[in-house]
Amino acid sequence: MSEIKEMVVEVVEKIFKDKVEKETVDLLEENKWAEDIWQLLLENELHHVAVSEEDGGAGGDIEDLLALYELVGKYAAPVPYVEHTLANFLLQQVELKGYEQLTTYSITTPLQLKGDALFGTLKHVGWAQYAKKLVTMAQEGSQQFIVVADLQDAQLKNSTNLAAEPRSEVVFENLKALQKVPVSEKQYDVFKKFVTAASVSKMGGALTTAFQLSVQFSKEREQFGRPIHRFQLVQQHLASMAGEQTLMTVAVNNIRTLLAAGREEREVAYARLRMDDASRTVATSAHQVHAAIGVTHEHRLHQYTRRLWAWRDEEFTARYWKKQLAQQLLETKIDLWESITDQAETHVHA
Amino acid sequence: MNLPNVQFTEEQKQFRQEVRSFLKQHIEKGTFETRCDSWLSGSDPSFSKLVAEQGWIGMTWPKQYGGSERSTIDRYILTEEFLAYGAPVAAHWFADRQTGPLLLRFGTDYQKEFFLPKIVKGECFFAIGLSEPNSGSDLASVATRAEKVEGGWIVNGAKTWSSNAHDAHYMVTLIRTEPLGEKKHEGLSQFIIDLKGEGVTIAPIRYLTGEPHFNDVYLDNVFVPDEMVVGTLGNGWKQGLAELAFERSGPERILSTFPLLNEVIEQLKIKRDLAGLEEATKLVAELWSLRNLSIGVAKVLEEGGEVAVPAALVKSIGTKFEQKIPEIIRLLLDVYPNLQSDNRVERYLAESILHAPGFTIRGGTSEVLYGILAKGVIAQ
């Protein structure tokens, strides 16, 4: 764990706690976002976390970034923090410099590359309508590249995800790649894991808040003359939410440590799969505990449950990783128990 | 709740290999056959003796009592390997998991010196006497009582659901030593009762499978000498609670049906059934996350931290997972559950189906645990 982690986590948490109100998050529904919070993050150099000091960054590593992404989920922060920092982090992996201008990424579907020209369509690109640069993957023949494109010249069809976060379809027709660096299949796999770990971290944060809101509500809300947490059936919801929340907190910590140490094998995939179950259970139980008030726009709960529902279907989904894991099982000679208990020493940083 | 994130060291990985090759070697020699739910239904005193010879009973205990002062994490690894390979460890299980730690914490010097070395050698097995007929999940409703006499106590009453009492030499027994007052948790004490002693009758209760498994233990004017009182008179409930944390959070709450999952994945690999493997993969992901949680609790236990709530968590989620395995597996393969079958999947499936209802009952029903969890969460 990096030394700066505790400090940056504290600073970011304070910013979100002070500035992210329910109303701030609601603004996304009107196509406005919290530019002032974004500026505050920039002023505090928080977009430079996990950028090396030689490159003008603040130091730190993927573990620190993922800890901050958890806070984005925990506060439903309406800013493109994950998109911008992760895009630049991916560039750093191939020794390219990051951008100060707002940058986003989309690496699920490679574009076609002909010379320096990009062709193809990317779907659900986060914050593309506000971003200037895009980090993505492209393919020429059998060679894959990480490329940077200028979003100003691309065709965008703007939309949102279930949580009203900006998502766009981006069409490339003979657009020039600003930079391109070839990457191996192995490197691309590692990128996929970083991106997946980011969404698992965000979801972990949102899940924690949905749970905490439910606990708080169950203490305050009285029915039939007593607080509702005294009812056994409500307790059952609280207990199962507590279980899922604790389970996922430990899982998220685990994949962060493994990724930072370059020792990840299958754990990000496991965490992603498990997160699907956890988010379903928590979202369902949280709404059940909150009852009618929880399904209104007026209450904060939806800012977290809508994010859980949206994020679980974005980027590399549980379905994607389920197929990957099944394929790996098929190809391996060792049995299941050996594969679960073997903590391989192979480094993921290719 | 936040739990530590444990990564195994090189030495620990090596130890795992050592245990694994011991088990594989004995499977090959035919010493035992892998089975599901082996920690409760696989009692084999001669196998326990072999385990003892390796120094693997009471391995975390002080050297002066025959232990090897190894870490809780080492013991965790050992337990996991036993369960994954379905080894018959039930005979020494309770002494190793509960009685030893109880005596180390609350026992007199005499008790430690008398019992612990025998347990370590695999010569002395314990049963647990908590529940009573008709008390259900209400463990504190203890009617078994003791009357003080010269040099000891005279005990009368009955205990039930005592797993493996028919194989055990002694039973740690919760007994009312003061008349029932307003608070039923008070006035309880823990006695060690010699199960071969006069006035003790053990009547096996057959499990769903037809096998003897747990027992009724009747205590009719049984004399228990003073030196067999564990800890402080009247403090039995608190001492018992400390024991429950060890009982609830271990790998035995996750891996009871693991041999079935492992075998089915092998079969799906042979058939190159990708769709089946995808379904099975979800169970693997669940297992991984549960293990993290359970190992985290083991680490906190080792450091002497408070684990009652997270231990209840492992037990309630883990046992549901164990229970789910046969229900999902049977939809992935054409397989006929049969306890006598030569086909391993069929046999493990039968064992899993018939043992599964007990998982969410023994050691605290899920419903009681939900109450503990919800209260823990509200109190935070």
Side-chain angles (χ1 to χ4, degrees), chain A residues 219 236 253-254 257 263 267 274 322-323 325 329 332 334-338 340-341 343 345, chain B residues 5 7-8 13 20 24 81 262 266 269 274 278 281 287-289 292-293 313 370 377-378:
Chain A
K219 289 197 226 183
Q236 219 172 89
N253 285 336
N254 197 309
T257 310
R263 286 183 27 225
E267 291 80 359
R274 190 62 188 74
K322 195 171 76 175
K323 285 177 184 296
L325 286 171
L329 271 176
T332 176
I334 61 172
D335 75 12
L336 174 65
W337 183 244
E338 288 166 347
I340 288 174
T341 52
Q343 284 158 331
E345 294 304 304
Chain B
N5 161 20
Q7 306 292 332
F8 294 113
K13 288 179 195 172
R20 191 172 290 172
K24 282 185 168 172
E81 292 296 315
N262 201 26
E266 281 307 302
K269 278 163 74 172
L274 207 54
E278 283 183 25
T281 290
L287 171 60
W288 171 80
S289 59
N292 287 339
L293 187 68
L313 204 68
Y370 288 150
V377 163
I378 292 297

Side-chain angles (χ1 to χ4, degrees), chain A residues 101-159:
Chain A
Q101 289 176 311
L102 185 54
T103 305
T104 186
Y105 70 88
S106 170
I107 67 161
T108 37
T109 330
L111 295 169
Q112 292 305 314
L113 189 65
K114 289 176 190 152
D116 277 345
L118 292 166
F119 297 87
T121 302
L122 300 175
K123 291 195 161 175
H124 324 302
V125 183
W127 298 81
Q129 68 186 95
Y130 300 102
K132 302 287 183 271
K133 298 282 187 289
L134 171 81
V135 174
T136 187
M137 297 293 296
Q139 199 160 7
E140 184 162 42
S142 59
Q143 179 60 55
Q144 308 201 79
F145 297 84
I146 189 166
V147 298
V148 180
D150 219 323
L151 276 171
Q152 278 143 323
D153 304 327
Q155 300 164 39
L156 264 64
K157 202 169 126 196
N158 296 332
S159 182

Side-chain angles (χ1 to χ4, degrees), chain B residues 48-88:
Chain B
S48 290
K49 193 87 189 149
L50 289 174
V51 175
E53 281 163 15
Q54 299 291 316
W56 292 342
I57 299 181
M59 63 188 281
T60 60
W61 306 349
K63 288 190 174 143
Q64 78 178 109
Y65 304 119
S68 37
E69 299 183 6
R70 300 185 71 144
S71 71
T72 305
I73 301 298
D74 282 348
R75 183 178 175 278
Y76 192 96
I77 291 168
L78 177 82
T79 311
E80 273 197 322
E81 292 296 315
F82 280 167
L83 298 167
Y85 288 93

Side-chain angles (χ1 to χ4, degrees), chain B residues 119-299:
Chain B
I119 293 175
V120 166
K121 285 187 201 133
E123 290 167 357
C124 174
F125 306 141
F126 271 79
I128 306 294
L130 275 174
S131 296
E132 298 201 353
N134 298 318
S135 70
S137 288
D138 185 3
L139 288 182
S141 67
V142 172
T144 297
R145 65 197 187 281
E147 257 172 77
K148 189 75 190 89
V149 294
E150 178 74 37
W153 299 77
I154 296 289
V155 177
N156 278 289
K159 290 287 167 181
T160 192
W161 314 126
S162 295
S163 295
N164 273 61
H166 56 292
D167 270 344
H169 305 92
Y170 296 92
M171 178 167 79
V172 175
T173 318
L174 192 63
I175 291 169
R176 194 164 290 290
T177 44
E178 286 163 36
L180 180 61
E182 266 178 35
K183 291 185 181 159
K184 63 183 178 177
H185 297 85
E186 289 174 2
L188 297 170
S189 305
Q190 285 182 302
F191 288 7
I192 295 173
I193 291 184
D194 182 351
L195 291 175
K196 311 279 184 264
E198 211 171 312
V200 179
T201 313
I202 298 173
I205 304 170
R206 291 194 301 157
Y207 192 64
L208 294 179
T209 53
E211 298 158 298
H213 170 54
F214 26 53
N215 302 265
D216 280 321
V217 181
Y218 300 103
L219 306 166
D220 179 20
N221 284 320
V222 176
F223 176 72
V224 179
D226 282 329
E227 65 259 28
M228 290 298 136
V229 174
V230 181
T232 313
L233 271 175
N235 194 36
W237 181 252
K238 278 195 185 145
Q239 292 171 197
L241 281 191
E243 239 179 291
L244 287 180
F246 287 93
E247 183 186 340
R248 286 183 175 154
S249 62
E252 67 270 31
R253 303 304 181 178
I254 301 171
L255 294 174
S256 298
T257 49
F258 180 80
L260 173 64
L261 178 61
N262 201 26
E263 190 60 35
V264 164
I265 286 183
E266 281 307 302
Q267 295 303 317
L268 293 170
K269 278 163 74 172
I270 291 167
K271 293 158 87 96
R272 304 195 65 76
D273 180 347
L274 207 54
L277 284 170
E278 283 183 25
E279 279 310 296
T281 290
K282 291 200 276 190
L283 295 172
V284 179
E286 215 168 321
L287 171 60
W288 171 80
S289 59
L290 275 162
R291 265 187 92 216
N292 287 339
L293 187 68
S294 165
I295 296 167
V297 177
K299 184 77 186 159

